[in-house]
Amino acid sequence: MNELLALFLKYALVNNFILVMFLGLCPFFGVSKRLSDAIRMGLSVTFVMVASAIITWLIANFILIPFNIEFMENVVFILVIASFVQLLEMIIRKTSIGLYRTLGIYLPLITTNCAVLGIAEINYTNGFSFLGSIASSLGGGVGFILALVIMSGLRERLEISDVPESLKGLPIAFITASLLSLSFLTFGGLRI
Amino acid sequence: MPFKDFSKGLVKANPLFVLVLGLCPALAVSTSIENAFGMGLAVIFVLVLSNLIISLLRNMIPKDVRIPCFIVIIATLVTIINITFKAYLPSLTESLGVYLPLITVNCIILGRAEAFASKNPPLRSVLDGVGEGIGFLLAMLLISFIRELLGSGGLNFTILGYKLGEFTIPVFSSMPALFFIMPTGAFLIIGLLLGLFKKTGVLR
C-alpha cells in the first residue's frame, strides 16, 4: 500500500508531468486560459491516462512479452491509445455537445498528448506491477489537473494585468510556468 | 518554388519559436548540446522519412482513418531510430530516456504530415521535412547552448559520441547557476527567447 502511495505522490508532485517532466505541454498552454475548460481537459486526460495504462499493461504482459515482440511496444501502444481516444471522442460527442464544442480541437490531440504515451512508456520501462501502473498513472493525471488548474487561475489574472507588450501571451505564460515549476521542485525534498 | 519549402522551416515557420510545436523534447532534452543534437537528428530522420512515405501514400490513405495511418508510419520510424540508438549510442539513449520513444507523439511530425505531406508531392514534402527538421535542430541548439553555458559553467561539444572540444568559464564553472539546468530554467529561457523574438521581430 505504501509503495502505491509513494508511486502516486512521485508522479503527482515530485515528477509532476507538466512542470517537471514537460509531458503534455500543448494542452497546458492551449486550454489553460479558463478554469472550467482546464478542469474538463484535466479530467479527460486523467481518464485516458489511467485507462490506457491499464490496457497497455495488459497488452505488454500478456501479448508482447510472452511472444517476444517487445520491440513493437511503441507501435502497439500508440495504436491502442489512438483508438481508445477515438472511442472517447465519439462518446463525448453523443452525450455532451457543449463539452465537445469547448474542448474542440484538443480532444483529438489527446492522442498526441505526450502525457498519455509517456505514462505507458514509463510504466513499461520501469516494469511497474499492475496496481503500480494504475497508481502512477492516477498520480500523473492528478498532477496534470493540479498544474492545469493552478495555471488557468494565474492566466485569468494575467489577462487583466499590465504585462510588457512583447511578453504578452505565450512568453509570459512560459515565465509563469517557470515560477510554478520552481515551487514544484521543492517537492523533491519529500522522502518517499 | 521547391526551395521555399525548405527555407521556410528555418526561420519564418520555425517549428519551435513560431509554430510553438514539439515543446516536450525541446524543454526536457535541451540540458546539454549533446542531448539536443541527438534529439534534433532523430527528429530530422523521422520527419523526413515520414513526410516522404506519407506523401507517396497520400492518394491511397482513406481520409477518415488518415491520423491512425500517419501515427503507425511515424511509430515504425521511431522504433527504427530507437533500436539504432540503443545499439550504437547507449549513453545518449540513456540520457534521452523516455523522450526518445515519445518522438512518436511530437506535434511537429504529425503536424507536418497533416498540414503538408498529405497534400503535396514527395519532393516538396521531403524538402519541407528537411527544412522544418533543421529549424527544430537549430532552435534546440540555441536553447541548449544557453542552458548548458549558464547551468554547468561551460560547453562540451560532443556530437553522437565524438568529442569535438570543450570550453569552461574559469571561475563560474565551480559554482554554476544550476537553476538553468533544472526544468525551471527551461521554461524561463524559452519564455524570454519568445519575448525577445517578438520584440525584435527577427522571425517575421
Side-chain angles (χ1 to χ4, degrees):
Chain A
M1 193 63 214
N2 275 342
E3 205 178 308
L4 296 182
L5 190 66
L7 269 181
F8 176 83
L9 287 178
K10 183 179 172 196
Y11 288 103
L13 299 176
V14 182
N15 281 356
N16 184 285
F17 258 51
I18 295 179
L19 295 169
V20 180
M21 298 184 74
F22 310 109
L23 298 173
L25 283 176
C26 305
F28 181 61
F29 288 112
V31 183
S32 68
K33 279 179 192 147
R34 272 180 36 215
L35 188 62
S36 52
D37 290 348
I39 292 173
R40 283 184 210 151
M41 181 72 190
L43 284 176
S44 54
V45 168
T46 308
F47 178 70
V48 174
M49 275 171 80
V50 175
S52 60
I54 294 173
I55 300 171
T56 51
W57 190 89
L58 292 174
I59 287 178
N61 284 278
F62 289 110
I63 299 176
L64 296 184
I65 295 173
F67 290 100
N68 264 331
I69 43 172
E70 286 103 328
F71 64 90
M72 291 279 288
E73 45 97 17
N74 203 355
V75 181
V76 172
F77 285 1
I78 190 67
L79 251 188
V80 171
I81 292 168
S83 35
F84 181 73
V85 172
Q86 196 85 48
L87 183 73
L88 187 71
E89 192 195 342
M90 283 181 204
I91 293 172
I92 290 183
R93 199 186 331 184
K94 285 271 186 272
T95 51
S96 155
I97 197 78
L99 179 61
Y100 184 75
R101 285 224 182 93
T102 38
L103 295 181
I105 170 174
Y106 284 96
L107 207 62
L109 277 184
I110 291 184
T111 314
T112 54
N113 188 332
C114 317
V116 179
L117 185 64
I119 193 70
E121 292 281 345
I122 288 170
N123 288 337
Y124 177 73
T125 44
N126 291 327
F128 288 155
S129 66
F130 184 65
L131 289 176
S133 307
I134 296 178
S136 67
S137 58
L138 201 60
V142 169
F144 189 87
I145 297 179
L146 194 64
L148 214 60
V149 166
I150 297 175
M151 188 65 180
S152 64
L154 289 173
R155 282 186 89 174
E156 278 182 2
R157 293 291 294 269
L158 273 178
E159 297 256 305
I160 47 169
S161 55
D162 187 23
V163 178
E165 189 56 43
S166 52
L167 289 182
K168 264 191 186 135
L170 264 185
I172 194 72
F174 273 104
I175 293 169
T176 316
S178 161
L179 296 175
L180 258 184
S181 159
L182 190 63
S183 60
F184 267 77
L185 281 183
T186 54
F187 286 119
L190 271 182
R191 211 169 292 158
I192 47 174
Chain B
M1 288 290 265
F3 180 70
K4 231 176 142 194
D5 295 321
F6 168 71
S7 62
K8 74 174 186 310
L10 298 182
V11 178
K12 258 194 191 133
N14 188 292
L16 219 50
F17 291 131
V18 181
L19 308 178
V20 202
L21 292 174
L23 285 172
C24 311
L27 292 168
V29 184
S30 60
T31 46
S32 72
I33 289 187
E34 183 188 3
N35 290 350
F37 201 87
M39 177 55 87
L41 228 53
V43 167
I44 291 177
F45 173 83
V46 176
L47 186 56
V48 172
L49 282 183
S50 81
N51 264 9
L52 174 66
I53 296 171
I54 287 165
S55 156
L56 287 172
L57 294 175
R58 69 187 186 281
N59 296 326
M60 269 176 257
I61 297 175
K63 267 252 143 25
D64 299 319
V65 289
R66 64 184 191 286
I67 302 281
C69 295
F70 295 167
I71 289 181
V72 173
I73 294 168
I74 296 168
T76 312
L77 292 166
V78 172
T79 305
I80 295 173
I81 200 108
N82 210 346
I83 295 171
T84 317
F85 268 41
K86 238 180 226 160
Y88 294 102
L89 303 159
S91 67
L92 183 64
T93 315
E94 187 96 338
S95 49
L96 292 181
V98 71
Y99 299 100
L100 195 58
L102 282 183
I103 297 178
T104 318
V105 285
N106 192 319
C107 317
I108 298 173
I109 297 170
L110 194 64
R112 292 327 287 172
E114 170 80 1
F116 200 91
S118 59
K119 297 182 190 110
N120 290 293
L123 179 68
R124 288 189 62 193
S125 302
V126 168
L127 284 172
D128 175 77
V130 176
E132 292 283 336
I134 292 177
F136 177 77
L137 177 67
L138 291 178
M140 286 281 287
L141 286 177
L142 176 64
I143 300 171
S144 63
F145 175 81
I146 301 173
R147 285 185 71 190
E148 193 179 352
L149 190 69
L150 296 174
S152 60
L155 294 170
N156 184 0
F157 297 100
T158 308
I159 287 168
L160 299 180
Y162 294 102
K163 197 161 189 178
L164 299 178
E166 237 183 331
F167 163 77
T168 44
I169 308 172
V171 184
F172 185 60
S173 65
S174 58
M175 39 172 187
L178 282 176
F179 173 83
F180 289 99
I181 292 276
M182 293 193 292
T184 322
F187 281 118
L188 185 70
I189 293 287
I190 206 162
L192 290 178
L193 280 176
L194 282 175
L196 187 71
F197 288 141
K198 205 166 162 190
K199 173 127 189 150
T200 52
V202 283
L203 294 185
R204 240 175 294 140

